[in-house]
Amino acid sequence: MAYDQHQRFVQFVPGGNGVIYGIQADGLLLRYEHAGWLTGTPTWANGAGAQIGNGFQQFRTVFAAADGQIFGVTASGDLRWYKHLGGGAWHVNSGSTIRTGLQVYPRIFGGWNGVFYAVDTNGKLRWFKYLAGDGTNSWHTNSGNIISNNSWKPFYELWADPNGVIYGIHTGSNLLSWWRYTSGDGTNGTWVNGGDAYTIGSGWSDDTQKTWLSNGSGTHYVVWLDGSTTPGFDDKLMWFRLLNSETISGHWTGLWVNGGAPRQVGSGFTTEKTAALQGYATDTSPRPTYPQGFAVSSSFTTVEATIERLAVPGQTSGTVVWGPQSVAGTLQYVPGDYRSGGCDWATTFSLTIPATWKSGAYVCRLRGLLNGTPHLRYEIPFAVKPPAPTAKLAVLLPTNTYNAYNTWGGHNNYTSVGQGGVQRVCTSYRPNNAVWTDDRAILSHTYYTDLLLLRWMVQNNIEFDLYQDGDLNADGTWLGQYKGLVLGSHSEYWSQLMKDRVNTYLSNGGRVVNTGGNTLFARISWNAGGDAVVFRAANGSQTDNWYANLGQPTRDVLGADWDDSEFLTWGAYETLLPAHPFLAGTGLTSGAAFGAVSYNISGSGWETDRCPTPPKSGTEIIAVGNNSGGPNGGHMYKWTRSGGGWVFSTGSISFNGTLAVDTVASKILLNVMTAAAA
């Protein structure tokens, strides 16, 4: 067998009229034909699928038209064209390159009638139309035009139906959104509802499902997560149909067959986007002179590996510090308990971290090789912690949060099906799809937005040592040797020991710079081996493990608490204390706005923290977010504690996304960092 039954496919591609192409992890292209595609009956013209091609695991994404045309986008941005003529026959021009330069677009989807869409790094939606249909280079003259100035970043999943219909799922929501672009000519023209989405369904989320696609005439296919207490295969193919897919007229006006309830039409459709090339580090934060291993699973027979610096004080980011080296690619299988017990993959290659490597963020980049040419890419970020404290500031990466939101393998702390009444044990020894180092035109509250902070610190010559959550839990002695501790964008999950150590640190005069929101909110623990995080209370409840419900509100340590009333709202900050020393050099006056633009929409947003009413003694509220059109967002504040220690907080998950684009926000944090290191 050339694939793992838990992760057989990397992508499903709709081909119209019940045709579904399945790309196996080993690159084989299978063609399925669902005879019951209009009615939801589980009848298939070729139930096992027909093998019609190979090598398709090389593409970062594949889409198709309803006439047999198939398009594959390579990691280098080339668009390859194929046309399946039936049986084992292909058009003579199949495999030809019909466009280049698509690497600048992080997200590409569509395919119907030769039309596809791309979301650029600014979140704008662009339109393309391939005209030739025969593998030659003929395109609509408006190809590449922006057709929507709305930001599409908040929608973490987007897929298309014919005739301008687009569907999407919003971050933090289980609602299905619908748009229809009616111009059809690549102009920034006519959209139903002025280009704003209509909500047409609920229950659509990666908390419940693995992948989504539509197949014409409003037919949708979804792979469902297993609902067992101990999850098994996530392999059920479910069917929906929206009868008025092109004529939606308002919110909740979708006419769904079967009342919107799914019908199971198949099984055996397990999928993981990275199953052809993926891996994890055997240590998330090794020290110099210590070993570091990488466990890699790949259907490529040869994998090229390099390690780069990403954000290391005093050194240039993006510099290769190890490799490239070619290693043998081997498909490694996951055991039944891999979600909690770990993948238990063999170490593919390892190295001793050189003594010259400074503490900071690094990444191992993997590339699958076909005939010596690099294709698919995968990255494994990791931290290098110092052999002993060297800087005045320590940065703590919130790796517990990364783990909580990692949907690789189908289930995490937030999965809403399965694992009922039990704790969620999530291993660190698995690939992590919540961490990435490139701009993916999607909102980030995990590693990427923390990397924006680290890059900013390096660019501003702010020295720091880098740690991750487990380091604070395992050993608290290093913390007291730093002037200040810097927290990331979403440091939500803390063990009791971590929390108590930071509280003692502040009581003894330490400084905490909290650059995020929803911080120190829920209690976790580690398993006996220290390689998996245990989420939730023993009865499976999330709320029973919230520190506020345990009689230990966050405000008693950091001065503020998460405000759930402004979840998924955004706004600029309004200045309240223009004379505050942290605002020196900004030119801000009372009521002046800053932080209106962020990688994550705006500076105050997504999840925000607010000080209690009245604030704790020693609290100075410097600014407040104007979320929902009023001063309802995050509190940017300084709280000086009785022992002389102090906390500065931005009160917002979205703040770090302002640093590269807002000089005022950058100056404020620079003032804070300078004071924290003094």
Side-chain angles (χ1 to χ4, degrees), residues 156-192:
Y156 66 84
E157 191 69 29
L158 295 165
W159 66 98
D161 227 7
N163 302 318
V165 173
I166 299 173
Y167 302 93
I169 305 173
H170 196 289
T171 295
S173 164
N174 71 349
L175 302 179
L176 181 64
S177 295
W178 177 97
W179 301 261
R180 189 177 178 208
Y181 173 61
T182 55
S183 296
D185 60 0
T187 59
N188 194 344
T190 305
W191 289 79
V192 173

mmCIF file of all heavy atoms in Angstrom, residues 156-192:
data_model
loop_
_atom_site.group_PDB
_atom_site.id
_atom_site.type_symbol
_atom_site.label_atom_id
_atom_site.label_comp_id
_atom_site.label_asym_id
_atom_site.label_seq_id
_atom_site.Cartn_x
_atom_site.Cartn_y
_atom_site.Cartn_z
ATOM 1 N N TYR A 156 -11.241 31.263 6.089
ATOM 2 C CA TYR A 156 -10.113 30.330 6.025
ATOM 3 C C TYR A 156 -10.320 29.235 4.998
ATOM 4 O O TYR A 156 -9.373 28.552 4.614
ATOM 5 C CB TYR A 156 -9.822 29.729 7.403
ATOM 6 C CG TYR A 156 -10.887 28.828 7.981
ATOM 7 C CD1 TYR A 156 -10.957 27.486 7.648
ATOM 8 C CD2 TYR A 156 -11.798 29.325 8.908
ATOM 9 C CE1 TYR A 156 -11.918 26.654 8.200
ATOM 10 C CE2 TYR A 156 -12.759 28.511 9.465
ATOM 11 C CZ TYR A 156 -12.823 27.171 9.112
ATOM 12 O OH TYR A 156 -13.784 26.351 9.662
ATOM 13 N N GLU A 157 -11.563 29.045 4.530
ATOM 14 C CA GLU A 157 -11.819 28.075 3.464
ATOM 15 C C GLU A 157 -12.719 28.724 2.432
ATOM 16 O O GLU A 157 -13.731 29.349 2.771
ATOM 17 C CB GLU A 157 -12.473 26.812 4.018
ATOM 18 C CG GLU A 157 -12.525 25.657 3.050
ATOM 19 C CD GLU A 157 -11.171 25.057 2.745
ATOM 20 O OE1 GLU A 157 -10.286 25.110 3.617
ATOM 21 O OE2 GLU A 157 -10.981 24.515 1.630
ATOM 22 N N LEU A 158 -12.350 28.609 1.148
ATOM 23 C CA LEU A 158 -13.119 29.153 0.037
ATOM 24 C C LEU A 158 -13.197 28.099 -1.058
ATOM 25 O O LEU A 158 -12.206 27.425 -1.348
ATOM 26 C CB LEU A 158 -12.469 30.424 -0.526
ATOM 27 C CG LEU A 158 -12.415 31.652 0.386
ATOM 28 C CD1 LEU A 158 -11.445 32.690 -0.166
ATOM 29 C CD2 LEU A 158 -13.806 32.274 0.553
ATOM 30 N N TRP A 159 -14.374 27.948 -1.642
ATOM 31 C CA TRP A 159 -14.506 27.070 -2.800
ATOM 32 C C TRP A 159 -15.591 27.627 -3.714
ATOM 33 O O TRP A 159 -16.361 28.502 -3.329
ATOM 34 C CB TRP A 159 -14.785 25.629 -2.379
ATOM 35 C CG TRP A 159 -16.086 25.338 -1.699
ATOM 36 C CD1 TRP A 159 -17.229 24.843 -2.255
ATOM 37 C CD2 TRP A 159 -16.384 25.479 -0.290
ATOM 38 N NE1 TRP A 159 -18.206 24.668 -1.309
ATOM 39 C CE2 TRP A 159 -17.717 25.033 -0.095
ATOM 40 C CE3 TRP A 159 -15.658 25.912 0.820
ATOM 41 C CZ2 TRP A 159 -18.334 25.040 1.150
ATOM 42 C CZ3 TRP A 159 -16.273 25.916 2.066
ATOM 43 C CH2 TRP A 159 -17.586 25.490 2.220
ATOM 44 N N ALA A 160 -15.635 27.145 -4.963
ATOM 45 C CA ALA A 160 -16.472 27.772 -5.980
ATOM 46 C C ALA A 160 -17.425 26.775 -6.628
ATOM 47 O O ALA A 160 -17.169 25.569 -6.668
ATOM 48 C CB ALA A 160 -15.603 28.411 -7.054
ATOM 49 N N ASP A 161 -18.519 27.306 -7.142
ATOM 50 C CA ASP A 161 -19.465 26.599 -7.989
ATOM 51 C C ASP A 161 -19.493 27.355 -9.331
ATOM 52 O O ASP A 161 -18.904 28.447 -9.439
ATOM 53 C CB ASP A 161 -20.848 26.607 -7.325
ATOM 54 C CG ASP A 161 -21.502 25.231 -7.321
ATOM 55 O OD1 ASP A 161 -20.834 24.256 -7.702
ATOM 56 O OD2 ASP A 161 -22.677 25.127 -6.917
ATOM 57 N N PRO A 162 -20.135 26.830 -10.347
ATOM 58 C CA PRO A 162 -20.174 27.552 -11.622
ATOM 59 C C PRO A 162 -20.884 28.900 -11.535
ATOM 60 O O PRO A 162 -21.609 29.188 -10.583
ATOM 61 C CB PRO A 162 -20.940 26.585 -12.536
ATOM 62 C CG PRO A 162 -20.781 25.245 -11.917
ATOM 63 C CD PRO A 162 -20.752 25.491 -10.442
ATOM 64 N N ASN A 163 -20.647 29.710 -12.564
ATOM 65 C CA ASN A 163 -21.369 30.967 -12.781
ATOM 66 C C ASN A 163 -21.208 31.966 -11.649
ATOM 67 O O ASN A 163 -22.151 32.636 -11.232
ATOM 68 C CB ASN A 163 -22.860 30.690 -13.042
ATOM 69 C CG ASN A 163 -23.067 29.776 -14.230
ATOM 70 O OD1 ASN A 163 -22.397 29.932 -15.252
ATOM 71 N ND2 ASN A 163 -23.960 28.806 -14.105
ATOM 72 N N GLY A 164 -19.963 32.066 -11.144
ATOM 73 C CA GLY A 164 -19.628 33.123 -10.201
ATOM 74 C C GLY A 164 -19.990 32.863 -8.765
ATOM 75 O O GLY A 164 -19.825 33.752 -7.922
ATOM 76 N N VAL A 165 -20.465 31.679 -8.423
ATOM 77 C CA VAL A 165 -20.851 31.375 -7.043
ATOM 78 C C VAL A 165 -19.617 30.969 -6.242
ATOM 79 O O VAL A 165 -18.812 30.143 -6.689
ATOM 80 C CB VAL A 165 -21.909 30.261 -6.996
ATOM 81 C CG1 VAL A 165 -22.180 29.840 -5.552
ATOM 82 C CG2 VAL A 165 -23.198 30.728 -7.668
ATOM 83 N N ILE A 166 -19.474 31.561 -5.057
ATOM 84 C CA ILE A 166 -18.355 31.271 -4.155
ATOM 85 C C ILE A 166 -18.918 31.006 -2.764
ATOM 86 O O ILE A 166 -19.857 31.681 -2.318
ATOM 87 C CB ILE A 166 -17.354 32.444 -4.110
ATOM 88 C CG1 ILE A 166 -16.752 32.697 -5.500
ATOM 89 C CG2 ILE A 166 -16.250 32.188 -3.094
ATOM 90 C CD1 ILE A 166 -15.877 33.939 -5.569
ATOM 91 N N TYR A 167 -18.336 30.027 -2.080
ATOM 92 C CA TYR A 167 -18.709 29.700 -0.710
ATOM 93 C C TYR A 167 -17.494 29.882 0.193
ATOM 94 O O TYR A 167 -16.349 29.739 -0.248
ATOM 95 C CB TYR A 167 -19.197 28.252 -0.597
ATOM 96 C CG TYR A 167 -20.368 27.915 -1.484
ATOM 97 C CD1 TYR A 167 -20.177 27.369 -2.746
ATOM 98 C CD2 TYR A 167 -21.676 28.141 -1.064
ATOM 99 C CE1 TYR A 167 -21.250 27.052 -3.570
ATOM 100 C CE2 TYR A 167 -22.758 27.827 -1.874
ATOM 101 C CZ TYR A 167 -22.536 27.281 -3.134
ATOM 102 O OH TYR A 167 -23.604 26.974 -3.944
ATOM 103 N N GLY A 168 -17.743 30.170 1.468
ATOM 104 C CA GLY A 168 -16.633 30.336 2.397
ATOM 105 C C GLY A 168 -17.049 30.121 3.837
ATOM 106 O O GLY A 168 -18.230 30.231 4.186
ATOM 107 N N ILE A 169 -16.049 29.793 4.672
ATOM 108 C CA ILE A 169 -16.253 29.630 6.114
ATOM 109 C C ILE A 169 -15.387 30.657 6.827
ATOM 110 O O ILE A 169 -14.176 30.725 6.596
ATOM 111 C CB ILE A 169 -15.888 28.213 6.584
ATOM 112 C CG1 ILE A 169 -16.660 27.157 5.788
ATOM 113 C CG2 ILE A 169 -16.182 28.056 8.075
ATOM 114 C CD1 ILE A 169 -16.227 25.737 6.094
ATOM 115 N N HIS A 170 -16.008 31.449 7.679
ATOM 116 C CA HIS A 170 -15.333 32.540 8.384
ATOM 117 C C HIS A 170 -14.589 32.006 9.596
ATOM 118 O O HIS A 170 -15.062 31.117 10.306
ATOM 119 C CB HIS A 170 -16.368 33.574 8.832
ATOM 120 C CG HIS A 170 -15.798 34.903 9.226
ATOM 121 N ND1 HIS A 170 -15.066 35.090 10.387
ATOM 122 C CD2 HIS A 170 -15.848 36.123 8.622
ATOM 123 C CE1 HIS A 170 -14.708 36.352 10.477
ATOM 124 N NE2 HIS A 170 -15.173 37.004 9.422
ATOM 125 N N THR A 171 -13.392 32.557 9.839
ATOM 126 C CA THR A 171 -12.625 32.220 11.032
ATOM 127 C C THR A 171 -13.475 32.411 12.287
ATOM 128 O O THR A 171 -14.158 33.424 12.447
ATOM 129 C CB THR A 171 -11.377 33.116 11.118
ATOM 130 O OG1 THR A 171 -10.526 32.829 10.014
ATOM 131 C CG2 THR A 171 -10.620 32.886 12.412
ATOM 132 N N GLY A 172 -13.433 31.422 13.184
ATOM 133 C CA GLY A 172 -14.148 31.519 14.443
ATOM 134 C C GLY A 172 -15.638 31.309 14.342
ATOM 135 O O GLY A 172 -16.366 31.563 15.307
ATOM 136 N N SER A 173 -16.114 30.836 13.183
ATOM 137 C CA SER A 173 -17.546 30.699 12.954
ATOM 138 C C SER A 173 -17.840 29.336 12.345
ATOM 139 O O SER A 173 -16.964 28.704 11.750
ATOM 140 C CB SER A 173 -18.026 31.812 12.020
ATOM 141 O OG SER A 173 -19.304 31.532 11.489
ATOM 142 N N ASN A 174 -19.084 28.887 12.478
ATOM 143 C CA ASN A 174 -19.503 27.678 11.772
ATOM 144 C C ASN A 174 -20.557 27.995 10.722
ATOM 145 O O ASN A 174 -21.335 27.131 10.316
ATOM 146 C CB ASN A 174 -20.034 26.628 12.760
ATOM 147 C CG ASN A 174 -21.380 27.018 13.366
ATOM 148 O OD1 ASN A 174 -21.850 28.150 13.219
ATOM 149 N ND2 ASN A 174 -22.008 26.084 14.064
ATOM 150 N N LEU A 175 -20.580 29.257 10.279
ATOM 151 C CA LEU A 175 -21.567 29.712 9.310
ATOM 152 C C LEU A 175 -21.025 29.604 7.891
ATOM 153 O O LEU A 175 -19.851 29.875 7.634
ATOM 154 C CB LEU A 175 -21.971 31.155 9.601
ATOM 155 C CG LEU A 175 -22.545 31.418 10.997
ATOM 156 C CD1 LEU A 175 -22.877 32.894 11.161
ATOM 157 C CD2 LEU A 175 -23.776 30.558 11.245
ATOM 158 N N LEU A 176 -21.904 29.210 6.970
ATOM 159 C CA LEU A 176 -21.548 29.106 5.562
ATOM 160 C C LEU A 176 -21.937 30.403 4.862
ATOM 161 O O LEU A 176 -23.096 30.833 4.914
ATOM 162 C CB LEU A 176 -22.261 27.924 4.911
ATOM 163 C CG LEU A 176 -21.947 27.684 3.433
ATOM 164 C CD1 LEU A 176 -20.485 27.315 3.238
ATOM 165 C CD2 LEU A 176 -22.859 26.595 2.849
ATOM 166 N N SER A 177 -20.953 31.029 4.208
ATOM 167 C CA SER A 177 -21.184 32.281 3.488
ATOM 168 C C SER A 177 -21.295 32.014 1.993
ATOM 169 O O SER A 177 -20.684 31.079 1.460
ATOM 170 C CB SER A 177 -20.041 33.265 3.752
ATOM 171 O OG SER A 177 -20.014 33.653 5.110
ATOM 172 N N TRP A 178 -22.052 32.867 1.314
ATOM 173 C CA TRP A 178 -22.316 32.733 -0.126
ATOM 174 C C TRP A 178 -22.142 34.087 -0.805
ATOM 175 O O TRP A 178 -22.584 35.109 -0.278
ATOM 176 C CB TRP A 178 -23.742 32.221 -0.333
ATOM 177 C CG TRP A 178 -24.221 32.091 -1.757
ATOM 178 C CD1 TRP A 178 -24.228 30.970 -2.527
ATOM 179 C CD2 TRP A 178 -24.838 33.118 -2.567
ATOM 180 N NE1 TRP A 178 -24.776 31.223 -3.764
ATOM 181 C CE2 TRP A 178 -25.160 32.545 -3.817
ATOM 182 C CE3 TRP A 178 -25.120 34.467 -2.366
ATOM 183 C CZ2 TRP A 178 -25.763 33.262 -4.850
ATOM 184 C CZ3 TRP A 178 -25.714 35.196 -3.395
ATOM 185 C CH2 TRP A 178 -26.028 34.594 -4.620
ATOM 186 N N TRP A 179 -21.479 34.082 -1.959
ATOM 187 C CA TRP A 179 -21.365 35.261 -2.813
ATOM 188 C C TRP A 179 -21.672 34.838 -4.248
ATOM 189 O O TRP A 179 -21.546 33.657 -4.609
ATOM 190 C CB TRP A 179 -19.944 35.826 -2.828
ATOM 191 C CG TRP A 179 -19.338 36.256 -1.547
ATOM 192 C CD1 TRP A 179 -19.242 37.525 -1.048
ATOM 193 C CD2 TRP A 179 -18.663 35.418 -0.583
ATOM 194 N NE1 TRP A 179 -18.571 37.539 0.147
ATOM 195 C CE2 TRP A 179 -18.203 36.259 0.457
ATOM 196 C CE3 TRP A 179 -18.411 34.056 -0.500
ATOM 197 C CZ2 TRP A 179 -17.504 35.770 1.557
ATOM 198 C CZ3 TRP A 179 -17.723 33.568 0.596
ATOM 199 C CH2 TRP A 179 -17.277 34.412 1.605
ATOM 200 N N ARG A 180 -22.019 35.820 -5.065
ATOM 201 C CA ARG A 180 -22.076 35.548 -6.508
ATOM 202 C C ARG A 180 -21.576 36.760 -7.278
ATOM 203 O O ARG A 180 -22.089 37.871 -7.140
ATOM 204 C CB ARG A 180 -23.479 35.183 -6.986
ATOM 205 C CG ARG A 180 -23.447 34.694 -8.434
ATOM 206 C CD ARG A 180 -24.774 34.235 -8.963
ATOM 207 N NE ARG A 180 -24.611 33.837 -10.359
ATOM 208 C CZ ARG A 180 -25.566 33.886 -11.274
ATOM 209 N NH1 ARG A 180 -26.790 34.295 -10.930
ATOM 210 N NH2 ARG A 180 -25.331 33.526 -12.513
ATOM 211 N N TYR A 181 -20.529 36.500 -8.065
ATOM 212 C CA TYR A 181 -19.950 37.517 -8.947
ATOM 213 C C TYR A 181 -20.626 37.377 -10.300
ATOM 214 O O TYR A 181 -20.473 36.366 -10.991
ATOM 215 C CB TYR A 181 -18.447 37.280 -9.059
ATOM 216 C CG TYR A 181 -17.732 38.148 -10.066
ATOM 217 C CD1 TYR A 181 -17.720 39.536 -9.941
ATOM 218 C CD2 TYR A 181 -17.050 37.568 -11.136
ATOM 219 C CE1 TYR A 181 -17.057 40.322 -10.860
ATOM 220 C CE2 TYR A 181 -16.380 38.350 -12.052
ATOM 221 C CZ TYR A 181 -16.387 39.726 -11.919
ATOM 222 O OH TYR A 181 -15.720 40.510 -12.833
ATOM 223 N N THR A 182 -21.402 38.385 -10.707
ATOM 224 C CA THR A 182 -22.227 38.261 -11.906
ATOM 225 C C THR A 182 -21.653 38.954 -13.129
ATOM 226 O O THR A 182 -22.152 38.741 -14.238
ATOM 227 C CB THR A 182 -23.643 38.816 -11.633
ATOM 228 O OG1 THR A 182 -23.539 40.161 -11.155
ATOM 229 C CG2 THR A 182 -24.355 37.966 -10.600
ATOM 230 N N SER A 183 -20.608 39.777 -12.954
ATOM 231 C CA SER A 183 -20.026 40.440 -14.127
ATOM 232 C C SER A 183 -19.427 39.415 -15.079
ATOM 233 O O SER A 183 -19.634 39.477 -16.289
ATOM 234 C CB SER A 183 -18.959 41.444 -13.699
ATOM 235 O OG SER A 183 -19.516 42.476 -12.935
ATOM 236 N N GLY A 184 -18.657 38.493 -14.535
ATOM 237 C CA GLY A 184 -18.110 37.414 -15.345
ATOM 238 C C GLY A 184 -17.096 37.834 -16.380
ATOM 239 O O GLY A 184 -16.805 37.075 -17.310
ATOM 240 N N ASP A 185 -16.509 39.032 -16.216
ATOM 241 C CA ASP A 185 -15.558 39.504 -17.220
ATOM 242 C C ASP A 185 -14.276 40.056 -16.601
ATOM 243 O O ASP A 185 -13.483 40.699 -17.277
ATOM 244 C CB ASP A 185 -16.197 40.576 -18.101
ATOM 245 C CG ASP A 185 -16.670 41.794 -17.313
ATOM 246 O OD1 ASP A 185 -16.492 41.811 -16.064
ATOM 247 O OD2 ASP A 185 -17.224 42.724 -17.923
ATOM 248 N N GLY A 186 -14.082 39.830 -15.303
ATOM 249 C CA GLY A 186 -12.857 40.274 -14.656
ATOM 250 C C GLY A 186 -12.839 41.738 -14.286
ATOM 251 O O GLY A 186 -11.779 42.252 -13.888
ATOM 252 N N THR A 187 -13.962 42.427 -14.396
ATOM 253 C CA THR A 187 -14.030 43.815 -13.944
ATOM 254 C C THR A 187 -14.488 43.838 -12.496
ATOM 255 O O THR A 187 -15.139 42.907 -12.015
ATOM 256 C CB THR A 187 -15.013 44.641 -14.799
ATOM 257 O OG1 THR A 187 -16.318 44.048 -14.711
ATOM 258 C CG2 THR A 187 -14.561 44.662 -16.250
ATOM 259 N N ASN A 188 -14.135 44.919 -11.806
ATOM 260 C CA ASN A 188 -14.572 45.072 -10.418
ATOM 261 C C ASN A 188 -15.994 45.603 -10.455
ATOM 262 O O ASN A 188 -16.263 46.751 -10.145
ATOM 263 C CB ASN A 188 -13.634 46.024 -9.673
ATOM 264 C CG ASN A 188 -13.824 45.957 -8.172
ATOM 265 O OD1 ASN A 188 -14.812 45.445 -7.684
ATOM 266 N ND2 ASN A 188 -12.862 46.486 -7.439
ATOM 267 N N GLY A 189 -16.900 44.689 -10.867
ATOM 268 C CA GLY A 189 -18.245 45.132 -11.209
ATOM 269 C C GLY A 189 -19.330 44.576 -10.334
ATOM 270 O O GLY A 189 -19.348 44.794 -9.125
ATOM 271 N N THR A 190 -20.244 43.835 -10.936
ATOM 272 C CA THR A 190 -21.499 43.495 -10.291
ATOM 273 C C THR A 190 -21.385 42.243 -9.437
ATOM 274 O O THR A 190 -20.951 41.187 -9.897
ATOM 275 C CB THR A 190 -22.595 43.283 -11.353
ATOM 276 O OG1 THR A 190 -22.678 44.449 -12.179
ATOM 277 C CG2 THR A 190 -23.945 43.043 -10.688
ATOM 278 N N TRP A 191 -21.806 42.391 -8.185
ATOM 279 C CA TRP A 191 -21.936 41.282 -7.253
ATOM 280 C C TRP A 191 -23.344 41.324 -6.661
ATOM 281 O O TRP A 191 -23.906 42.397 -6.433
ATOM 282 C CB TRP A 191 -20.952 41.409 -6.098
ATOM 283 C CG TRP A 191 -19.512 41.176 -6.419
ATOM 284 C CD1 TRP A 191 -18.653 42.042 -7.011
ATOM 285 C CD2 TRP A 191 -18.758 40.004 -6.131
ATOM 286 N NE1 TRP A 191 -17.407 41.487 -7.122
ATOM 287 C CE2 TRP A 191 -17.438 40.225 -6.575
ATOM 288 C CE3 TRP A 191 -19.066 38.779 -5.522
ATOM 289 C CZ2 TRP A 191 -16.434 39.271 -6.442
ATOM 290 C CZ3 TRP A 191 -18.069 37.830 -5.384
ATOM 291 C CH2 TRP A 191 -16.763 38.072 -5.849
ATOM 292 N N VAL A 192 -23.898 40.166 -6.402
ATOM 293 C CA VAL A 192 -25.130 40.118 -5.624
ATOM 294 C C VAL A 192 -24.842 40.696 -4.236
ATOM 295 O O VAL A 192 -23.768 40.472 -3.662
ATOM 296 C CB VAL A 192 -25.641 38.663 -5.514
ATOM 297 C CG1 VAL A 192 -26.828 38.588 -4.548
ATOM 298 C CG2 VAL A 192 -26.039 38.121 -6.880
#
